[in-house]
Amino acid sequence: MVKLTIGSIGDSFSIGSLKAYLAEFHATFIFVFAGVGSAIAFGKLTNEGALDPSGLVAIAVAHAFALFVGVSVAANISGGHLNPAVTFGLTVGGHITLLTGLHYVLAQLLGAILACFLLKFVTGESIPTHGLGAGVGAIEGLVFEIIITFALVYTVYATAADPKKGSLGIIAPIAIGFIVGANILAAGPFSGGSMNPARSFGPAVVSGNFSDIWIYWVGPLLGGGLAGFVYGDIFIGSYASVPHSEDYA
């Protein structure tokens, strides 16, 4: 069953929690700056040409590498979520309280927005936003985002949140980066391959283009929440809630 825990104001504003929010802000900034920056670089090198196979691979690899680093640098402080869908999935499973999770999401959104503002400033280029591919409808795009985000958060649970993970936890940042890169390769030409509301929201705010932004909130949150429910109930069974940044919280 869903194990949402509201939490307390004291826990949400403890020194440990404040450090965790700052870590999420920094790590999300690193991820979004590199991810969006790779898309801007592709556009500049191709004179805003259409995305081709080599460009898709390069952008997927950039996101995978940046997420690997972002998760790694924040893991010991905040758990290294870098993504509201991951935070929501872990909240559903009782690994982080609702109040603390909301602060995580705020920190992630601010990190993403700042990264995009600085990219616009230093490159002078327009900020690319996530969008549906030609011939892809909203429902198809939504289903794509649900599926690939489910895969991402399921991977987070299996490699980082599962109490039986053992030494597998060492490769968690790599596995998480790999699944994001693979999902971008699969979904990029169709839904954009977001899996991350912050990654989509930051560019939307800076560019002023909120077209279909609901897909990149609803899809990832549904996919992440479903993964938290399935893995938590079927494979973990029962576990105690943690108040803040303890063991991938």
Side-chain angles (χ1 to χ4, degrees):
M1 59 183 293
V2 175
K3 301 179 179 180
L4 292 175
T5 303
I6 295 176
S8 67
I9 297 296
D11 286 337
S12 295
F13 288 96
S14 67
I15 296 300
S17 292
L18 293 176
K19 289 180 179 179
Y21 307 151
L22 186 59
E24 284 295 305
F25 172 83
H26 286 158
T28 307
F29 175 91
I30 290 170
F31 170 62
V32 173
F33 191 91
V36 177
S38 68
I40 294 174
F42 172 81
K44 186 170 183 64
L45 292 173
T46 61
N47 293 315
E48 303 303 327
L51 184 65
D52 59 18
S54 62
L56 177 62
V57 170
I59 290 172
V61 168
H63 280 80
F65 283 178
L67 187 59
F68 162 57
V69 172
V71 171
S72 297
V73 301
N76 292 333
I77 306 170
S78 67
H81 298 192
L82 286 70
N83 183 339
V86 170
T87 298
F88 182 63
L90 291 167
T91 301
V92 167
H95 284 262
I96 183 172
T97 66
L98 186 60
L99 282 176
T100 298
L102 289 173
H103 287 96
Y104 267 45
V105 171
L106 179 59
Q108 293 155 2
L109 294 177
L110 290 175
I113 291 169
L114 179 61
C116 292
F117 268 121
L118 290 178
L119 278 168
K120 185 174 181 64
F121 174 73
V122 298
T123 66
E125 303 286 336
S126 59
I127 301 298
T129 59
H130 279 125
L132 300 174
V136 179
I139 299 302
E140 292 84 353
L142 180 66
V143 172
F144 245 116
E145 289 297 319
I146 292 173
I147 293 171
I148 60 178
T149 310
F150 178 91
L152 167 59
V153 178
Y154 192 91
T155 301
V156 169
Y157 260 92
T159 62
D162 193 324
K164 296 182 179 180
K165 64 182 181 295
S167 60
L168 186 64
I170 297 172
I171 68 163
I174 299 175
I176 294 166
F178 277 6
I179 191 60
V180 164
N183 282 341
I184 291 174
L185 290 175
F190 301 97
S191 70
S194 172
M195 298 163 275
N196 187 334
R199 168 63 181 82
S200 297
F201 188 71
V205 169
V206 176
S207 68
N209 178 11
F210 292 91
S211 177
D212 294 323
I213 190 65
W214 69 272
I215 293 173
Y216 304 107
W217 276 97
V218 176
L221 291 178
L222 285 177
L226 183 61
F229 176 75
V230 170
Y231 200 104
D233 264 25
I234 296 178
F235 295 106
I236 294 179
S238 63
Y239 41 84
S241 301
V242 292
H244 52 86
S245 57
E246 298 174 17
D247 191 19
Y248 212 85

